[in-house]
Amino acid sequence: MLQPNDKIVIAVSGGKDSLTLLHILTQIEKSFPKATLSAVTIDEGIKGYRDEALKIATKNCKELEVPHVIASFKEMYGSTLDEIVDAIQKKAEKALTPCSFCGVLRRQVLNTVARETGVNKLATAHTLDDETQTMLLNIVHGDAARIARVKPVLSEVHPKLVQRVKPLCEIPEREVALYAYLKDVDYQGVRCPYAGTALRNDVRAMLNRIEAKHPGTKFAIFRSIEKIRPALEAVTGEAELKECEMCGEPTIRDICKPCQMLQELYTP
Ligand code: SF4
């Protein structure tokens, strides 16, 4: 996943998972003088929530002496997430949720910042829980190609795409929380006000219920998908990346997902 001379940027939201990853990689990086570490936080523009997270992320990076940049949806897309949510409500389309916009836009901003800061790895703090939830969500959405594509080490190659890695993908969220607690990591405990709207919550609750009754279920799902993935890749084929006709960012479509979603949202 990581090489001794990698230039790594960590996506730090201010929550326990990303700050734990920041603390762990900062420790490990000390043994690798040719590697570099920096952090990026995305300000989606969520009033009453993101401001505190930005302060906590900044404080942790300062204490650990990790260079830190903040990038916002407002700068990149001209709208905060709160403004996008207002537009969603006016549109009154049930399929559109704050999280569907947030996830798509954040992925693109992270890649753009990583590329512009000249790193070759973008590390995100997805845990075993996140990964198994995503795997089941892709099944619920009937998106087999995405199950093949979204993996712990991204294999898609494009000059504008920084390789994404997920060092915590086999660590249960409870263990990450335990690490943060034992190491006294200062993190934001408040949930995003839009979190309740996501289908992911139902999948998370279901997985937690099954895991409590049958420990090891999350690992079993993760391992099963890892075994199935090569067969899926053989069927779905390698996704060919090109540049978005509107913004030039890497995408598998003619128009990237952020451009398409925002265009549809703001077209009357
Ligand atoms: Fe974005 Fe949804 Fe996460 Fe809130 S809960 S930060 S809206 S993805």
Side-chain angles (χ1 to χ4, degrees), residues 45-164:
I46 306 173
K47 214 163 184 256
Y49 168 70
R50 188 46 82 200
D51 290 350
E52 192 205 348
L54 291 175
K55 277 190 205 140
I56 292 171
T58 305
K59 180 174 165 266
N60 275 273
C61 289
K62 207 169 170 192
E63 282 170 7
L64 296 169
E65 298 179 1
V66 174
H68 179 221
V69 293
I70 296 172
S72 74
F73 282 5
K74 187 76 177 175
E75 286 161 26
M76 184 110 172
Y77 303 107
S79 299
T80 63
L81 189 66
D82 287 338
E83 288 163 353
I84 290 171
V85 172
D86 281 345
I88 291 174
Q89 280 159 359
K90 283 185 193 127
K91 216 91 194 169
E93 270 194 40
K94 282 199 179 140
L96 302 176
T97 65
C99 293
S100 56
F101 273 87
C102 187
V104 165
L105 302 190
R106 192 176 38 215
R107 256 195 311 279
Q108 190 176 66
V109 182
L110 282 174
N111 182 63
T112 306
V113 173
R115 188 179 67 232
E116 286 174 356
T117 47
V119 301
N120 66 317
K121 293 272 167 74
L122 166 62
T124 61
H126 292 89
T127 61
L128 176 71
D129 295 58
D130 298 318
E131 289 300 279
T132 49
Q133 288 159 22
T134 302
M135 287 163 180
L136 288 192
L137 277 168
N138 287 334
I139 291 171
V140 171
H141 290 135
D143 197 345
R146 214 170 145 69
I147 301 170
R149 258 194 351 263
V150 179
K151 47 191 174 183
V153 178
L154 199 81
S155 61
E156 288 167 334
V157 181
H158 187 278
K160 286 188 164 180
L161 191 69
V162 177
Q163 188 176 39
R164 262 200 319 267

Side-chain angles (χ1 to χ4, degrees), residues 232-248:
L232 276 174
E233 283 173 328
V235 176
T236 56
E238 190 78 12
E240 199 197 320
L241 285 169
K242 41 195 165 185
E243 290 185 13
C244 169
E245 287 172 6
M246 290 177 73
C247 70

Side-chain angles (χ1 to χ4, degrees), residues 20 40 45 50 61 103 109 176 193-194 198 213 216 268:
T20 292
V40 54
R50 188 46 82 200
C61 289
V109 182
V176 174
Y194 299 127
K213 270 191 171 178

Side-chain angles (χ1 to χ4, degrees), residues 2-6 8 10 20-38 60-67 179 183:
L2 296 169
Q3 300 301 319
N5 57 351
D6 271 341
I8 308 156
I10 309 172
T20 292
L21 180 64
L22 175 75
H23 280 253
I24 291 172
L25 285 187
T26 306
Q27 286 301 316
I28 296 173
E29 193 248 352
K30 287 180 185 153
S31 310
F32 295 93
K34 286 185 182 164
T36 66
L37 211 56
S38 60
N60 275 273
C61 289
K62 207 169 170 192
E63 282 170 7
L64 296 169
E65 298 179 1
V66 174
Y179 182 94
K183 294 284 181 181

